[in-house]
Every structure is written in structure tokens, then in C-alpha cells.
Amino acid sequence: STPAPVITIDGPTASGKGTVAHRVAKALGWAVLDSGALYRLTALAALNRGVDAADEPAVARVAETLDVRFDGPHVYLEGADVGHEIRREEVGNFASRVAAFPGVRQALLERQRAFRLAPGLVADGRDMGTVVFPDASLKVFLVADVVARAERRRKQLIEKGISANLDDLLRDMRERDARDTQRATAPLAPAADAHVLDSSNLTIAETVQAILDFWQAIPR
Ligand code: CDP
Ligand code: CDP
């Protein structure tokens, strides 16, 4: 039987991937994979176990033995709800370091592919279209200029009651972009057959509609 259809949404941090992926999935009645959460969960589990971030074999073992469960908006690590904890900046930074290890990426590969179930999956991350689902029906590479992304992130933080300096956010974002695009394994890059969509001047609703239009335009 043919595998379930997949729409991949890759792109840099704060380009809107997560928000847009959830809305596209809702519109189609499909499931969603937040692949970044798996890297964050690996990082949190390693931090909890006191594993050294530079010890690749040890972090890869953590990824191989990760005990996680996704249930709607909830994420459980070894039975504990860690939905908020994995969003911490420290966890995100650790995640972007361990995501450069080939052993970690390999350990998470089949786990990500297991999310592909009927009627379909919207997967967001950095390498969904290039490595994890190279045969996806539709690949989107979502970009936005770094100032727009830093402003979005600042607004997000302010809504959570956290004050943030735009220059600090810009610096962190450029560092994260450099680390994601320059790593040797699965660097952030559009697949050859991806639609590059610039959302710098698009609302969330316009971005979602553009992706649904791409999907409708595919002959079936
Ligand atoms: O919130 P942000 O976009 O910064 O991060 P995320 O999507 O939650 O992912 C956390 C980290 O995992 C990123 O910095 C990426 O380096 C890494 N990641 C990856 O390497 N491959 C993926 N498919 C998803 C995330
Ligand atoms: O998943 P990723 O890190 O790519 O981004 P996100 O967390 O989905 O989006 C970052 C922020 O940008 C959220 O607060 C979104 O509401 C906002 N956003 C926006 O203002 N305009 C868009 N076209 C897309 C996202």
C-alpha cells in the first residue's frame, strides 16, 4: 500500500514553522510532528542524567533509549509532563549542539518516520524534506528575514511576561542560524524540490493558505 502523504515544513528558528504546521494539519485533519521537540527531549534527558554535551556516544545512547510520549499538546519524558521545560532556552541551546551529532540524528530517524500514518502528516523541522521524508508529497521551506524573526520571538516572550532585548535576540538567532546551516550532518537547507516561501510580510493565515494552495495544486 502507498504510504500516507506528508507535507514537510522546514526553515530557520522563528520562521513560523510550528504555528503554521499545526494550522495546516488542523485544516487537513492530519497529525503533526514537531521534530525539534525530539531534539529538545534528548537534550533534557541528557541534562537530567548529567551527560556531558560533548560526549557524542553518551548523548546518542540517550536518544536511542528516549522514553517519550506525545498526547495532543502534552509531551511526556519518562512519564513526566515536560511540555514547558523543553521550551527553556538552556534546553534549546543544548538541543542545537547535540543535533549536530550524526549518532543522535540516526537514533531519532525511525522514531520520526513512525509518525507517518493515515490520513497524513505535517512534519516541521530542519531536515524533514531533505533527510527524514525525502519522498514527501509537498515540501515547503519557510523563511523570513532575521529582523522579522527576532521581532516575532520578542513578541512571543513579552506575551509570556518575559522581557527581551532585540539586539540579544538577533545575536542569538544569527548564532543558531549559523550552527544549523553550517553543520556537516543534515544542515538546514531547502530540498531541491521545495517551495521556498518568504513569510516576512505574510500573516499566519496567509502563510497557511499559501501552503494549502500548493497542496490543492498537486495533481492527484
Ligand atoms: O525553537 P527553535 O526553532 O529554535 O528550535 P526547535 O525547532 O524546537 O529545534 C531545536 C533544535 O533542534 C534546533 O536548534 C535545531 O538545531 C535542532 N533540530 C534539528 O537539527 N533538526 C530538526 N529536524 C529539528 C530541530
Ligand atoms: O516553529 P518556529 O520556531 O519556526 O516558529 P513559531 O514558534 O511557530 O513562530 C514564532 C512566532 O512568530 C509565533 O509567535 C508566531 O505567532 C509568529 N508568526 C508571525 O507573527 N507571523 C507569521 N507569518 C508566522 C509566525
Side-chain angles (χ1 to χ4, degrees), residues 8-219:
T8 59
I9 305 180
D10 290 305
T13 186
S15 57
K17 302 179 300 296
T19 307
V20 165
H22 276 93
R23 294 201 189 192
V24 169
K26 197 169 175 205
L28 295 171
W30 292 7
V32 59
L33 165 64
D34 169 7
S35 62
L38 285 171
Y39 288 91
R40 289 172 177 271
L41 286 158
T42 301
L44 180 60
L47 283 166
N48 287 348
R49 294 188 207 171
V51 170
D52 178 357
D55 186 345
E56 172 164 6
V59 183
R61 265 193 309 278
V62 170
E64 279 157 20
T65 58
L66 207 58
D67 170 15
V68 298
R69 193 163 59 82
F70 290 88
D71 183 9
H74 300 283
V75 189
Y76 298 89
L77 175 63
E78 284 152 17
D81 190 341
V82 294
H84 289 291
E85 220 181 332
I86 60 166
R87 296 293 145 205
R88 273 167 36 210
E89 205 51 33
E90 182 200 5
V91 176
N93 285 329
F94 196 112
S96 97
R97 292 176 65 189
V98 304
F101 293 148
V104 170
R105 306 201 71 85
Q106 186 58 40
L108 297 178
L109 198 56
E110 288 312 316
R111 214 183 266 272
Q112 295 174 84
R113 289 182 176 154
F115 281 81
R116 182 176 198 166
L117 297 170
L121 176 70
V122 182
D124 94 74
R126 302 294 190 288
D127 64 341
M128 297 297 98
T130 49
V131 176
V132 182
F133 302 109
D135 63 334
S137 320
L138 170 64
K139 300 177 184 179
V140 176
F141 195 76
L142 193 58
V143 299
D145 71 58
V146 72
V147 177
R149 289 187 284 127
E151 266 160 8
R152 288 175 186 174
R153 197 59 101 207
R154 181 165 66 156
K155 224 175 123 201
Q156 239 177 350
L157 290 168
I158 288 169
E159 278 159 15
K160 284 197 242 166
I162 304 165
S163 67
N165 176 288
L166 193 64
D167 289 333
D168 291 345
L169 281 173
L170 264 172
R171 193 200 52 228
D172 289 352
M173 213 160 264
R174 288 191 170 112
E175 270 174 30
R176 183 80 66 95
D177 285 355
R179 206 151 44 196
D180 286 349
T181 52
Q182 287 163 20
R183 70 182 175 218
T185 310
L188 173 66
D193 51 350
H195 294 265
V196 178
L197 183 59
D198 187 339
S199 77
S200 304
N201 300 303
L202 296 182
T203 64
I204 293 167
E206 287 168 338
T207 310
V208 169
Q209 194 54 54
I211 295 172
L212 291 173
D213 289 347
F214 287 145
W215 173 247
Q216 290 306 329
I218 297 173

